[in-house]
């Protein structure tokens, strides 16, 4: 899927394409010297056929320039999740501060019905999901219109149970499974029929 998206942006003329993906293509083209040392590079997707032929996408000097241009266009608003530590909540003004791992601080605005979640999340690592507003000049996140608080829940480890040895029969009983596997039903991708047969024969041994 990622490779398909890569080919999509290379072959598309859409100037509103994903700026981050465009930046990755532009960087790759720069590192390979496309338009300088080398004329072009062609990426081939053998799993996707067009008129019986593998799909191809060529990166040349024109594509490199277009990718660079798109990458420099920064969206002012993006729907995403920022992760950081919440602090300085103002429950009268319905705002709070989120300190990002990079050290930057983002102002979070929230509706009254989310105040309790903000209170519980204060001074802890938290995901803030909503509309993120970016500085058009620096491309740094400045404010977030909060839609949801995503808390990181740490599972408790029962140390005694972790180190307790269990037989195969006990594991089958606990997980309500027979423990039997039909090799023919295993998903084995990207293998020829001969390779698949050889694998199953070795597995049976």
């Amino acid at each position: 899927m990622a490779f398909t998206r890569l080919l999509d942006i290379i072959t598309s003329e859409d100037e509103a394409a994903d700026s981050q993906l465009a930046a990755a293509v532009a960087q790759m083209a720069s590192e390979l010297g496309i338009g300088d040392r080398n004329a072009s590079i062609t990426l081939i997707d053998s799993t996707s056929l067009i008129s019986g032929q593998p799909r191809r996408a060529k990166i040349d000097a024109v594509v490199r320039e277009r990718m660079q241009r798109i990458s420099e266009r920064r969206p002012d608003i993006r729907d995403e999740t920022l992760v950081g530590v919440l602090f300085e909540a103002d429950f009268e003004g319905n705002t709070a501060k989120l300190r990002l791992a990079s050290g930057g601080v983002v102002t979070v605005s929230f509706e009254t019905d989310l105040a309790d979640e903000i209170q519980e999340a204060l001074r802890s690592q938290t995901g803030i999901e909503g509309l993120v507003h970016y500085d058009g000049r620096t491309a740094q996140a400045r404010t977030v219109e909060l839609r949801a608080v995503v808390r990181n829940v740490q599972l408790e480890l029962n140390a005694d149970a972790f180190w307790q040895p269990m037989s195969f029969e006990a594991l089958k009983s606990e997980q309500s499974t027979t423990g039997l596997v039909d090799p023919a039903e295993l998903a084995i991708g990207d293998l020829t029929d001969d390779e698949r047969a050889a694998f199953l024969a070795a597995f049976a041994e």
Side-chain angles (χ1 to χ4, degrees):
M1 291 176 65
F3 192 60
T4 297
R5 286 192 62 202
L6 180 63
L7 268 59
D8 286 344
I9 194 172
I10 293 170
T11 56
S12 172
E13 296 295 331
D14 185 7
E15 291 292 324
D18 188 320
S19 61
Q20 291 182 315
L21 186 54
V25 176
Q27 181 179 350
M28 178 177 67
S30 176
E31 293 174 351
L32 294 174
I34 302 301
D36 300 325
R37 302 188 308 275
N38 301 299
S40 66
I41 181 174
T42 300
L43 305 182
I44 302 173
D45 183 1
S46 59
T47 66
S48 177
L49 302 180
I50 299 178
S51 299
Q53 297 296 320
R55 185 184 180 192
R56 297 168 180 266
K58 183 170 74 172
I59 304 175
D60 54 18
V62 174
V63 172
R64 174 183 174 180
E65 181 181 347
R66 181 165 57 85
M67 293 294 101
Q68 186 63 43
R69 184 172 62 251
I70 293 174
S71 70
E72 293 170 353
R73 173 189 52 76
R74 300 293 183 179
D76 294 329
I77 302 176
R78 192 183 305 164
D79 190 351
E80 62 182 354
T81 300
L82 298 180
V83 177
V85 177
L86 277 171
F87 66 103
E88 289 187 8
D90 176 2
F91 293 102
E92 291 186 1
N94 287 348
T95 62
K97 301 289 187 182
L98 180 73
R99 188 177 305 282
L100 304 176
S102 63
V105 175
V106 179
T107 299
V108 180
S109 60
F110 56 89
E111 297 295 331
T112 304
D113 59 349
L114 292 171
D116 288 343
E117 294 186 49
I118 291 291
Q119 177 69 52
E120 293 177 4
L122 283 175
R123 294 178 294 280
S124 63
Q125 190 82 354
T126 306
I128 298 298
E129 179 183 314
L131 291 177
V132 183
H133 295 250
Y134 286 85
D135 185 304
R137 182 178 60 84
T138 65
Q140 299 298 313
R142 292 304 180 200
T143 63
V144 182
E145 297 176 41
L146 180 64
R147 183 171 58 249
V149 177
V150 183
R151 298 295 306 278
N152 295 325
V153 179
Q154 184 172 354
L155 299 178
E156 294 185 3
L157 174 65
N158 185 329
D160 292 336
F162 180 81
W163 292 109
Q164 183 67 36
M166 294 185 68
S167 67
F168 185 63
E169 292 300 323
L171 285 171
K172 287 196 301 181
S173 175
E174 182 181 87
Q175 299 180 19
S176 301
T177 180
T178 64
L180 301 177
V181 176
D182 183 356
E185 294 181 355
L186 292 175
I188 310 172
D190 301 326
L191 294 181
T192 65
D193 290 341
D194 290 342
E195 290 172 334
R196 186 184 301 273
F199 173 84
L200 293 176
F203 189 86
E205 294 178 1

